[in-house]
Amino acid sequence: MPPRPAGSRPTLSLVAKTAGTSVPTVSKVLRGGTDVSAETRAKVMEAVQAVGYTRRAGAKGEKGRDESGLSQVLDLVVTHFEGSWANLLIAGVGREAAAAGLDVVLTLAQPHGDWVSRLLRRRTIGVIGTLVDPASQQFGALFAAGVPVVLIDPMSTPPSGVASVGVANWEGGRMAAEHLLSLGHERMGVVAGHARHLFSRARVDGFRAAADTMTAGSATVSVAHGAWNRAKAVTATHALLDGDPGITGIFACADSMALGVYDALAARGLRIPEDISVIGFDDLPEAQYITPGLTTVRQPSTELGAAAVKLLIDLARSEDGGARSPARMELATELVVRASTGPVTATAPAPR
């Protein structure tokens, strides 16, 4: 990458030089132009990310805007639509957007798709991204194009100045551990999501911190990763219990994975909560319908979507075009106690 003077702002010229193309071509890519090859587009997006270019706040086009100058459309970008959590969040975005007179365009962020170019061609108030990685080249192009972006619990650390809304994940993990510890459980397992996801790590860290603090380090916490997937959570649960058959309490970092924990315990002939207590995270509708009902940490999924819309509207209407550095907004989590947790018994569960 060509060097630039210390303290100078990256320019389109630097992006063009780094990508081995022209300034007009870079400009076309950042407008979502169609007359650019996929290879050139990828090189430009890579260069944008490499030099850290972002467009200065300024006037946007007027197509698709209402009389106040604000676009009538916002984009909700997700990596998948499946699952109750995504549905709850989409509902929150849709309701708040409708109340503000905005339509929502739902976009599937496929890793190697050209969704970002289609989005850049639209006149949008901005983007809400959930279940996404802000370090991807596609999101780098959005930041570079000056599109206002609000991230909901991003998978990785977003660039400086990018707004995010999330829940108190660390606090939720702490509450889960404190609940199990209050019932006498000191040999515990955690079925985490992905090791690289910030919100999964925060939940595990909060759980570990409470276990260490409340027992002066005498509690044991074993961790296996279930990748936010029910079937993989089954495998993770078996790995935990094979490694430590004396585990009496399991924290699943998502209710969807807690279902996998239930499956694995049933396969081993273990009862919930008599043999092993189980606690989840989310408070999805399934948590109430399974037997026994799942104790879980509630995150306000619908409220998350609504809060992201409000923040995006504020950014889009701000005089600096959203160039200010907004603070992260965190919504509280709370413990919901049901029948899947109970006091530790004198007899540890037998290995399979």
Side-chain angles (χ1 to χ4, degrees):
M1 181 181 75
R4 60 184 173 90
S8 65
R9 183 186 179 93
T11 63
L12 281 178
S13 296
L14 180 60
V15 175
K17 186 179 293 185
T18 304
T21 187
S22 66
V23 169
T25 297
V26 172
S27 184
K28 283 181 185 178
V29 170
L30 297 184
R31 293 196 310 269
T34 57
D35 53 343
V36 180
S37 70
E39 181 181 5
T40 298
R41 190 183 308 281
K43 287 181 179 178
V44 169
M45 290 168 68
E46 184 178 349
V48 157
Q49 204 167 30
V51 306
Y53 173 82
T54 56
R55 190 171 72 180
R56 294 181 185 275
K60 310 283 197 305
E62 297 302 318
K63 180 182 176 183
R65 294 175 181 270
D66 63 18
E67 291 157 355
S68 70
L70 191 66
S71 171
Q72 296 169 290
V73 172
L74 70 81
D75 283 85
L76 176 59
V77 177
V78 300
T79 51
H80 66 266
F81 306 136
E82 297 82 5
S84 298
W85 187 84
N87 291 335
L88 290 170
L89 186 131
I90 290 170
V93 170
R95 290 170 190 168
E96 191 64 33
L102 299 171
D103 294 323
V104 178
V105 176
L106 194 57
T107 297
L108 184 63
Q110 297 169 310
H112 305 294
D114 199 23
W115 62 267
V116 69
S117 294
R118 297 194 303 274
L119 191 152
L120 289 170
R121 289 194 293 272
R122 289 194 285 273
R123 298 303 183 186
T124 179
I125 181 179
V127 172
I128 294 173
T130 185
L131 306 171
V132 297
D133 183 359
S136 68
Q137 287 186 356
Q138 288 85 356
F139 268 86
L142 293 182
F143 303 143
V147 176
V149 175
V150 172
L151 300 171
I152 297 178
D153 256 346
M155 293 178 178
S156 60
T157 303
S160 175
V162 176
S164 68
V165 180
V167 300
N169 291 297
W170 191 95
E171 182 70 9
R174 180 195 65 78
M175 286 190 288
E178 288 188 351
H179 177 64
L180 289 176
L181 290 165
S182 72
L183 295 169
H185 301 276
E186 291 197 2
R187 292 174 73 174
M188 299 176 289
V190 177
V191 177
H194 282 291
R196 65 184 180 88
H197 290 173
L198 289 178
F199 42 91
S200 179
R201 284 159 44 194
R203 294 170 194 180
V204 175
D205 289 347
F207 191 92
R208 283 189 186 278
D212 289 343
T213 302
M214 291 184 66
T215 67
S218 65
T220 60
V221 177
S222 304
V223 179
H225 292 88
W228 312 114
N229 178 278
R230 180 172 182 169
K232 291 180 180 178
V234 171
T235 302
T237 303
H238 286 311
L240 287 175
L241 296 177
D242 288 344
D244 182 2
I247 286 174
T248 61
I250 294 178
F251 169 45
C253 287
D255 288 352
S256 58
M257 294 192 297
L259 298 179
V261 175
Y262 274 48
D263 295 340
L265 297 183
R268 298 174 83 103
L270 297 173
R271 301 164 300 165
I272 304 171
E274 292 85 358
D275 297 318
I276 295 186
S277 287
V278 180
I279 184 169
F281 196 109
D282 286 327
D283 196 25
L284 300 179
E286 294 93 317
Q288 302 177 53
Y289 304 148
I290 57 175
T291 302
L294 177 65
T295 295
T296 189
V297 177
R298 179 182 182 269
Q299 65 165 316
S301 307
T302 302
E303 293 91 333
L304 265 179
V309 173
K310 291 177 181 177
L311 181 53
L312 185 63
I313 292 173
D314 286 345
L315 289 175
R317 285 178 173 160
S318 63
E319 292 182 1
D320 59 9
R324 61 183 177 172
S325 298
R328 172 178 166 84
M329 180 187 300
E330 270 198 359
L331 304 186
T333 49
E334 63 178 309
L335 182 68
V336 179
V337 179
R338 298 192 178 96
S340 67
T341 50
V344 67
T345 59
T347 304
R352 182 176 58 178

